[in-house]
């Protein structure tokens, strides 16, 4: 079925009394006269043995595009809204939808340092990935000193929800962002290294790349990129565009964990840019 707006995660359901069946899809990137652009859904792949339910989509991908939705209230006021993201393939077809769960007080008082749960649902409105970020108040940035796991900024990734498949941990690194991607057993499987100055300020029209490296840092596996979204969007909102690239044959659990790393990077470096 095609999703409509769900009260919990922001999608939709045919059970909603206000549900209206979608019009026939126009060519990609176009809309029927008088209508908003129609969402193109990635066809649901067949289930795969040993693959967590819902992650079959990731077996077919070597790139992911993540578009944060613009919240009008946030754009024209100082009120911090819950983040929502469309997750697409390179054809522009929607693969997942991500919606933040957090407390109002935490968003307004703690800003980008807030704890949250990111619910990631597929096109059938089933939650397939859950990224959980706890609140950390004991250190600001672990760049110049060693970070214990209790102090470092981190995210745990679950798929299905309740079953941990990986962790993202911030590590000490001098002056550049450094993260470890760990599996369910907390073994380091990948590392992420960012630029010395990762913040993308207003007027900066270049992408910001975070390299995904092998565990021994001997070679580059892929990258997470913060992409320039245009002057108006960068100036007036916190809505961001990201891309992830990785080998197509990379384990789907590692791919899901890299998606969690993207959300952590977004909150740490690009959520609080004083655009309001």
């Amino acid at each position: 079925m095609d999703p409509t707006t769900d009260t919990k995660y922001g999608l939709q359901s045919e059970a909603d009394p206000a549900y209206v069946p979608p019009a026939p899809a126009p060519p990609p990137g176009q809309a029927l006269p008088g209508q908003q652009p129609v969402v193109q859904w990635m066809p649901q792949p067949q289930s795969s043995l040993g693959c967590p339910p819902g992650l079959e989509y990731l077996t077919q991908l070597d790139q992911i595009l993540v578009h944060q939705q613009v919240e009008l209230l946030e754009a024209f006021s100082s009120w911090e809204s819950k983040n929502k993201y469309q997750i697409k393939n390179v054809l522009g077809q929607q693969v997942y939808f991500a919606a933040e769960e957090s407390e109002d007080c935490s968003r307004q008082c703690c800003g980008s340092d807030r704890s949250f749960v990111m619910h990631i649902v597929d096109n059938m409105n089933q939650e397939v990935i859950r990224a959980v970020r706890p609140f950390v108040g004991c250190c600001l940035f672990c760049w110049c000193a060693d970070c214990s796991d209790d102090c470092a900024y981190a995210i745990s990734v679950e798929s299905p929800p309740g079953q941990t498949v990986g962790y993202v941990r911030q590590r000490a690194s001098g002056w550049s962002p450094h993260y470890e991607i760990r599996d369910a057993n907390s073994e380091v499987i990948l590392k992420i290294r960012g630029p010395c100055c990762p913040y993308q300020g207003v007027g900066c029209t270049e992408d910001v790349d975070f390299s995904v490296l092998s565990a021994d840092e001997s070679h580059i596996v892929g990258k997470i990129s913060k992409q320039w979204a245009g002057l108006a969007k960068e100036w007036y909102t916190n809505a961001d565009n990201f891309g992830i690239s990785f080998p197509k044959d990379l384990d789907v659990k590692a791919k899901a964990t890299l998606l969690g790393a993207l959300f952590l990077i977004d909150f740490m470096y690009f959520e609080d840019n004083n655009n309001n």
Side-chain angles (χ1 to χ4, degrees):
M1 68 179 180
D2 290 320
T4 45
T5 300
D6 177 76
T7 56
K8 188 172 184 180
Y9 300 133
L11 290 183
Q12 298 182 336
S13 169
E14 291 180 356
D16 189 336
Y19 171 75
V20 177
Q30 299 183 23
L32 296 174
Q35 293 187 347
Q36 294 295 322
V38 176
V39 174
Q40 300 288 315
W41 306 100
M42 180 176 175
Q44 185 176 12
Q46 295 182 347
S47 59
S48 177
L49 183 64
C51 179
L55 296 193
E56 296 90 353
Y57 291 95
L58 297 180
T59 63
Q60 303 181 5
L61 302 178
D62 59 4
Q63 294 184 61
I64 297 176
L65 306 178
V66 179
H67 304 301
Q68 184 177 352
Q69 293 189 334
V70 176
E71 300 293 338
L72 293 181
L73 177 63
E74 185 174 343
F76 295 102
S77 73
S78 60
W79 183 263
E80 181 69 30
S81 303
K82 296 179 182 179
N83 287 357
K84 297 179 181 179
Y85 305 82
Q86 288 180 301
I87 302 171
K88 302 179 179 181
N89 61 19
V90 293
L91 300 178
Q93 297 172 327
Q94 185 162 306
V95 183
Y96 300 120
F97 184 87
E100 174 191 351
E101 177 188 351
S102 59
E103 297 180 354
D104 287 340
C105 181
S106 176
R107 290 196 307 277
Q108 310 318 314
C109 298
C110 301
S112 60
D113 292 329
R114 64 186 180 267
S115 61
F116 63 80
V117 177
M118 194 68 67
H119 301 279
I120 303 172
V121 300
D122 63 13
N123 295 333
M124 302 298 290
N125 205 23
Q126 300 297 313
E127 186 177 14
V128 296
I129 304 172
R130 181 178 296 173
V132 181
R133 182 197 187 187
F135 177 75
V136 176
C138 60
C139 63
L140 182 60
F141 280 101
C142 287
W143 284 358
C144 301
D146 193 18
C147 300
S148 69
D149 284 349
D150 293 333
C151 184
Y153 288 120
I155 272 185
S156 61
V157 179
E158 304 171 1
S159 182
Q163 183 173 329
T164 302
V165 297
Y167 303 91
V168 184
R169 299 283 185 183
Q170 180 193 15
R171 300 276 46 148
S173 57
W175 296 107
S176 62
H178 182 195
Y179 301 90
E180 292 178 345
I181 304 298
R182 303 181 183 182
D183 62 16
N185 298 317
S186 290
E187 296 293 330
V188 177
I189 56 174
L190 296 169
K191 292 184 179 179
I192 297 176
R193 290 280 191 176
C196 180
C197 183
Y199 299 93
Q200 188 181 60
V202 175
C204 178
T205 59
E206 296 182 356
D207 295 349
V208 181
D209 293 336
F210 294 74
S211 298
V212 180
L213 309 172
S214 59
D216 60 3
E217 301 188 40
S218 62
H219 62 280
I220 297 176
V221 175
K223 68 178 180 179
I224 297 174
S225 297
K226 164 65 170 67
Q227 301 169 340
W228 170 250
L231 181 60
K233 192 172 182 181
E234 296 285 349
W235 187 284
Y236 291 110
T237 76
N238 287 332
D240 298 317
N241 292 328
F242 287 90
I244 310 178
S245 62
F246 38 61
K248 189 174 182 179
D249 60 355
L250 184 68
D251 183 80
V252 292
K253 297 178 182 178
K255 292 181 180 181
T257 307
L258 284 173
L259 184 57
L262 181 150
F263 292 127
L264 183 58
I265 289 171
D266 181 24
F267 274 77
M268 287 186 64
Y269 301 108
F270 306 109
E271 180 70 9
D272 257 348
N273 54 14
N274 296 320
N275 285 339
N276 288 326

